[in-house]
Amino acid sequence: MEKYLYIALFAPFVSSLFSALFAQQKKMQFVGIVAPILIGISLMSSLLLLSHVHESGEAVRANLMDWIVVGDMNITFGFAVDQVTAVMMVVVTTVSTVVHIYSNYYMDHDISFNRFFSYLSAFVFSMMILVMSDNFLGLFIGWEGVGVCSWLLIGFWYHKKDESKDVNPSVSPSWAANEAFIVNRIADLGMLVGIFLIYWNLGTLTYTEVFAQLGTLDHTLLVWIGITLFIGAMGKSAQFPLHTWLTDAMEGPTPVSALIHAATMVTAGVYLVIRANPLYSQIPEVSYGIALLGTFVAIFAASMALVNRDLKRIVAYSTLSQLGYMFAAAGLGAYWIALFHLAAHAFFKALLFLGAGNVMHAMHDELDIFKMGGLKKKMFWSFLMMGLASLALAGIYPLAGFFSKDAILEAAFNEHTYGIWFVLWLTAGLTAFYSFRQVFIVFLGDERYHEIGAHPHEAKPYALWAMSVLAVLAVIFGWFREDFMEFITKFLPAYEMSEHTHHMVWILTIVTTAIAVTGILVAFFKYSKKLNRSEKTENSFAYKLLYNQYYIPHFYEKAITKPYAELSEIAWQELDMKVVDATVDGIAKTIESSGDVSRRAQDGNLSSYLKWMTAGFVLITIIAVISVVIK
């Protein structure tokens, strides 16, 4: 099975290199055909590996080559496909294959069509390195790889300026790409410290060896390792206060947003915590902190989505909120449930973003949902798929989100963390409301798009067929919850519900479903027939607070970005120009001047030579006399 491991890993890399060969040329359709085929080959190999791991129960391992061999340090490019890795590989490649096919439609008229596929495939390759590596350093290489690729893809339209200032003020693709890159570099420093602590104290970075030796480390040291690794996870998965980049990343092409939010970058932080479960199981105080932060982020992001008007940002806030659910589950020790929700979320979230891409295409890239309405008549299939994905996101039976989200709420109840349960329960209602607020405003009610001269049309059939794969998975994936648990708990620790929780399951399910249905009904009665807007509400403090993201981006701008820019200006003018540059220029001018003076001694004039000889003789004589006197 080792060959399938390499095929799954390197097929996206080959896809990226192949597309890069034509990056500077105009659109070539065969690039859009070959790239998805290669990603599909990676998917097929991943499925074969998943089947093998399921049947044998053993991980597939491979060492590509020695990497760092210095003294006692011997780190290899090693890969291991166990139960967790196999699930992640299938999720990543499934979503990526659909996104690659869909991108042929979305990027059809883009002049950088070939370059886009090169970046997109490189993104998948980096994520595959991240999840397949058998050591922390290999994971970190993939970690940085997805960071670089996200920068390239978010800023893909670097030449564009934002044209919807009322929706996304002061944001451009280049600015958003730089923000995502810089915020993640800050977080990655914390992760790097954690990796250094592991190697310094254990002398290895291989997962199996590290986790086997955790018992030899001091508890305080384990706490610091857990905290520093989680700081890295906070950046990648956009947890507060490092969350602002995620919604601004919507400046990239919509297929990129689907890939980032569903299967690659933002899931990396959750994957790290799940992968390092032996560590976090030994530091319950840190794990509980992760659960609390995740719970806060869940309702924090949901509250901002309630009033947002940007089609893609609303979906982005839902990603941020759902990541909070995943971290809450992992922090409570329900690691397999966190992974289950990660997989289920990937399918319906990718479907939501691609549906949003259909709407954008039909609306000439308009993002303000208040300028839409009545699109159901022109885009029935997009309406159906976005409605289906929203039902899954809201956790309505029998869709995938129902099974995964309810499992998280049950875990919170089972741990007697009723505060966490209540907040997540309330967030479920908010999620249902803002998800269907968006669907109803966009697809039902008055046809407001005539005001901006749009002529809506449905997406091409092959794009809809590709999306239908995600639609099917969004429906049926939850039905395999018990099979998933049986498979994954061969590697991850099982999570046992108490007898009391078992007796309460139906009540918890009814209560959770009730608040979700309530949220949908409120959105329906308020927005299904017309756009109900209240000037009084929109001018209220609470509305402005949510619309402006609690003024956190403004605070960062005033307290960090501008002071840093001003400090940099002072350092440039006063230190760099007046000290560093002046010193370097002074040395150069001194050497140049001394050269000019020395050049006179070689002017070819005999009289000048005699003068220099005389001066030299006098100087040597003086030095000799002084030496004799001193002695």
Side-chain angles (χ1 to χ4, degrees):
M1 298 302 294
E2 187 175 328
K3 66 179 179 181
Y4 294 112
L5 184 153
Y6 287 130
I7 291 172
L9 176 62
F10 287 109
F13 181 61
V14 174
S15 174
S16 178
L17 290 181
F18 175 80
S19 303
L21 292 174
F22 309 98
Q24 298 302 316
Q25 301 181 33
K26 293 182 179 179
K27 176 191 172 183
M28 295 185 174
Q29 190 58 58
F30 65 84
V31 171
I33 296 173
V34 173
I37 288 174
L38 287 168
I39 302 300
I41 290 172
S42 181
L43 169 60
M44 293 299 104
S45 298
S46 299
L47 288 169
L48 287 171
L49 289 165
L50 176 66
S51 176
H52 173 79
V53 173
H54 180 265
E55 292 175 1
S56 67
E58 297 179 356
V60 178
R61 301 184 181 277
N63 282 328
L64 182 62
M65 62 181 177
D66 289 335
W67 181 14
I68 302 175
V69 182
V70 180
D72 294 332
M73 178 184 287
N74 187 355
I75 299 175
T76 63
F77 264 119
F79 304 96
V81 180
D82 50 38
Q83 285 83 351
V84 173
T85 303
V87 169
M88 288 296 297
M89 290 170 64
V90 171
V91 169
V92 170
T93 52
T94 299
V95 174
S96 298
T97 301
V98 172
V99 169
H100 273 70
I101 296 171
Y102 179 87
S103 295
N104 278 276
Y105 161 68
Y106 193 86
M107 304 297 291
D108 185 44
H109 300 295
D110 198 284
I111 59 173
S112 298
F113 180 88
N114 304 334
R115 178 168 62 92
F116 177 80
F117 275 96
S118 179
Y119 292 168
L120 200 66
S121 296
F123 203 3
V124 180
F125 173 61
S126 298
M127 189 65 186
M128 293 295 276
I129 291 178
L130 190 156
V131 301
M132 293 175 69
S133 291
D134 69 352
N135 63 83
F136 281 101
L137 200 54
L139 176 143
F140 190 73
I141 295 299
W143 196 271
E144 294 304 293
V146 294
V148 171
C149 292
S150 69
W151 179 75
L152 292 170
L153 287 164
I154 294 169
F156 185 78
W157 289 322
Y158 57 88
H159 55 282
K160 292 175 62 176
K161 300 295 183 183
D162 183 64
E163 298 175 355
S164 52
K165 295 297 180 183
D166 57 327
V167 180
N168 298 331
S170 305
V171 175
S172 68
S174 293
W175 190 93
N178 289 336
E179 180 190 22
F181 191 80
I182 292 168
V183 169
N184 276 276
R185 296 297 72 71
I186 294 169
D188 292 351
L189 178 60
M191 182 180 177
L192 204 54
V193 170
I195 292 174
F196 284 154
L197 287 174
I198 291 171
Y199 184 79
W200 184 264
N201 290 278
L202 296 178
T204 181
L205 291 173
T206 303
Y207 296 142
T208 53
E209 296 175 2
V210 169
F211 298 146
Q213 299 179 58
L214 289 177
T216 64
L217 300 181
D218 179 72
H219 183 77
T220 302
L221 180 60
L222 289 177
V223 167
W224 280 109
I225 292 173
I227 290 174
T228 51
L229 289 179
F230 182 65
I231 289 173
M234 288 171 62
K236 276 290 180 287
S237 295
Q239 295 298 283
F240 179 86
L242 305 176
H243 65 283
T244 54
W245 71 266
L246 188 63
T247 50
D248 290 337
M250 296 301 96
E251 294 300 314
T254 302
V256 174
S257 302
L259 203 55
I260 288 177
H261 286 246
T264 54
M265 190 156 168
V266 299
T267 61
V270 180
Y271 168 78
L272 174 61
V273 174
I274 294 172
R275 172 61 66 184
N277 71 87
L279 167 65
Y280 288 103
S281 296
Q282 295 190 35
I283 44 176
E285 62 271 46
V286 175
S287 294
Y288 187 64
I290 292 173
L292 288 176
L293 179 62
T295 303
F296 167 74
V297 170
I299 195 167
F300 172 70
S303 66
M304 291 185 286
L306 294 174
V307 301
N308 205 277
R309 293 164 48 183
D310 187 303
L311 179 69
K312 287 174 65 179
R313 286 189 176 223
I314 294 170
V315 185
Y317 280 125
S318 76
T319 299
L320 186 55
S321 182
Q322 296 307 304
L323 288 167
Y325 272 92
M326 297 174 207
F327 278 118
L332 294 173
Y335 298 104
W336 80 263
I337 296 176
L339 184 62
F340 183 60
H341 190 53
L342 184 156
H345 171 264
F347 302 132
F348 58 74
K349 184 51 58 69
L351 182 61
L352 265 177
F353 266 113
L354 299 186
N358 291 351
V359 173
M360 287 180 64
H361 234 281
M363 296 294 295
H364 307 307
D365 292 333
E366 178 59 58
L367 287 167
D368 190 348
I369 60 175
F370 285 3
K371 296 178 181 178
M372 302 177 190
L375 292 180
K376 176 187 172 183
K377 298 177 184 177
K378 304 289 186 179
M379 306 178 67
F380 175 75
W381 290 107
S382 294
F383 163 69
L384 189 64
M385 291 190 188
M386 286 195 73
L388 185 69
S390 297
L391 284 171
L393 176 61
I396 301 300
Y397 181 85
L399 282 76
F402 168 82
F403 296 95
S404 59
K405 188 182 289 185
D406 268 32
I408 295 173
L409 287 163
E410 289 166 16
F413 188 86
N414 187 64
E415 294 296 320
H416 306 293
T417 51
Y418 300 119
I420 290 178
W421 177 86
F422 176 77
V423 173
L424 294 179
W425 173 78
L426 181 61
T427 302
L430 299 180
T431 301
F433 172 77
Y434 70 68
S435 297
F436 279 90
R437 167 183 175 265
Q438 174 181 254
V439 171
F440 295 146
I441 289 176
V442 170
F443 290 100
L444 303 182
D446 302 328
E447 297 176 355
R448 297 177 297 278
Y449 55 81
H450 295 299
E451 300 172 8
I452 59 174
H455 302 284
H457 56 85
E458 186 58 275
K460 292 183 178 180
Y462 72 84
L464 294 173
W465 279 110
M467 292 170 61
S468 67
V469 174
L470 297 173
V472 171
L473 289 170
V475 173
I476 70 171
F477 183 75
W479 304 351
F480 301 98
R481 172 174 155 177
E482 296 302 318
D483 295 325
F484 183 92
M485 179 186 68
E486 182 181 348
F487 169 70
I488 208 68
T489 51
K490 292 177 181 177
F491 185 85
L492 293 177
Y495 184 81
E496 297 294 334
M497 297 290 181
S498 67
E499 194 68 28
H500 175 64
T501 305
H502 275 298
H503 289 312
M504 293 290 292
V505 163
W506 281 107
I507 296 176
L508 294 173
T509 300
I510 291 171
V511 169
T512 305
T513 302
I515 195 171
V517 171
T518 301
I520 295 172
L521 290 175
V522 171
F524 178 79
F525 289 119
K526 187 172 178 61
Y527 297 110
S528 63
K529 293 185 178 180
K530 63 179 181 177
L531 179 62
N532 284 312
R533 298 180 63 182
S534 167
E535 186 175 343
K536 180 179 179 181
T537 300
E538 293 181 8
N539 288 328
S540 67
F541 172 76
Y543 189 96
K544 289 182 177 179
L545 184 68
L546 297 177
Y547 189 80
N548 289 286
Q549 305 173 61
Y550 294 93
Y551 294 97
I552 292 173
H554 298 274
F555 171 75
Y556 287 169
E557 179 73 15
K558 298 290 185 182
I560 299 175
T561 307
K562 284 188 176 180
Y564 183 81
E566 291 171 0
L567 183 62
S568 299
E569 180 76 18
I570 294 172
W572 172 51
Q573 295 286 354
E574 303 298 327
L575 294 178
D576 195 44
M577 298 295 291
K578 293 183 180 180
V579 178
V580 178
D581 280 8
T583 302
V584 173
D585 291 345
I587 293 172
K589 289 178 180 178
T590 301
I591 294 173
E592 183 183 21
S593 299
S594 64
D596 287 339
V597 174
S598 301
R599 194 179 301 117
R600 297 173 188 173
Q602 301 291 332
D603 60 1
N605 189 303
L606 184 61
S607 297
S608 296
Y609 289 164
L610 290 172
K611 289 178 182 179
W612 282 108
M613 289 172 62
T614 303
F617 177 76
V618 171
L619 180 62
I620 293 171
T621 303
I622 292 172
I623 293 173
V625 171
I626 292 173
S627 299
V628 171
V629 171
I630 292 174
K631 290 181 178 180

